[in-house]
Amino acid sequence: MAEQSPEETQALEQALHTARALVLADLTASDVAEADVVSLVEDAVVHRRWWVEQWPDGVAFVGGLIAQDVQDALLDRYGRWPLCPVCGGTDLHALDIEPELGENPHWVCGKTATAVARVGSLGSRL
């Protein structure tokens, strides 16, 4: 792998810091931003830093990928997150990230195909 230019390194760090902040905003809006959960975010950021170093063109996708990584880690340890505010009631299910690998990721209700909020903006919908 070729060494990154200073501009590429700066773009990578900016994307990672932005993704971290957006996911933490959604975790805070959901009242689940405890220390152990924040550690999951940090783990996801470290993993995605390595991933983008291997595939620099993927830098635009790290926001959604970090959100998915944290969502998967929370499911393994605690349960579904974030819960869908559209359906509510007894049919509890988590929101999905769309696009799965793309720019401008959104939280979407997979059952109704309703876009709920951009990653980082769940607080306005919960």
Side-chain angles (χ1 to χ4, degrees):
M1 184 186 110
E3 183 133 347
Q4 289 184 325
S5 71
E7 293 82 16
E8 290 172 324
T9 300
Q10 183 177 0
L12 168 60
E13 292 303 318
Q14 181 63 46
L16 291 170
H17 288 292
T18 299
R20 179 185 183 277
L22 293 174
V23 172
L24 287 174
D26 286 345
L27 290 165
T28 300
S30 306
D31 292 326
V32 294
E34 302 295 328
D36 58 333
V37 175
V38 172
S39 292
L40 298 175
V41 176
E42 299 304 330
D43 292 345
V45 169
V46 167
H47 172 72
R48 291 303 171 177
R49 176 178 282 115
W50 176 87
W51 182 83
V52 173
E53 287 171 351
Q54 306 310 305
W55 186 48
D57 291 341
V59 71
F61 309 143
V62 296
L65 292 171
I66 289 173
Q68 288 174 345
D69 291 345
V70 171
Q71 187 179 41
D72 291 345
L74 283 169
L75 179 61
D76 291 344
R77 295 184 186 189
Y78 303 105
R80 295 179 186 102
W81 175 84
L83 293 177
C84 179
V86 175
C87 296
T90 59
D91 185 21
L92 297 178
H93 59 277
L95 296 172
D96 298 325
I97 293 283
E98 288 188 10
E100 288 186 21
L101 185 63
E103 297 181 41
N104 303 313
H106 285 72
W107 293 110
V108 175
C109 171
K111 292 189 181 246
T112 64
T114 303
V116 175
R118 291 183 59 160
V119 170
S121 299
L122 269 181
S124 66
R125 294 300 310 259
L126 298 180

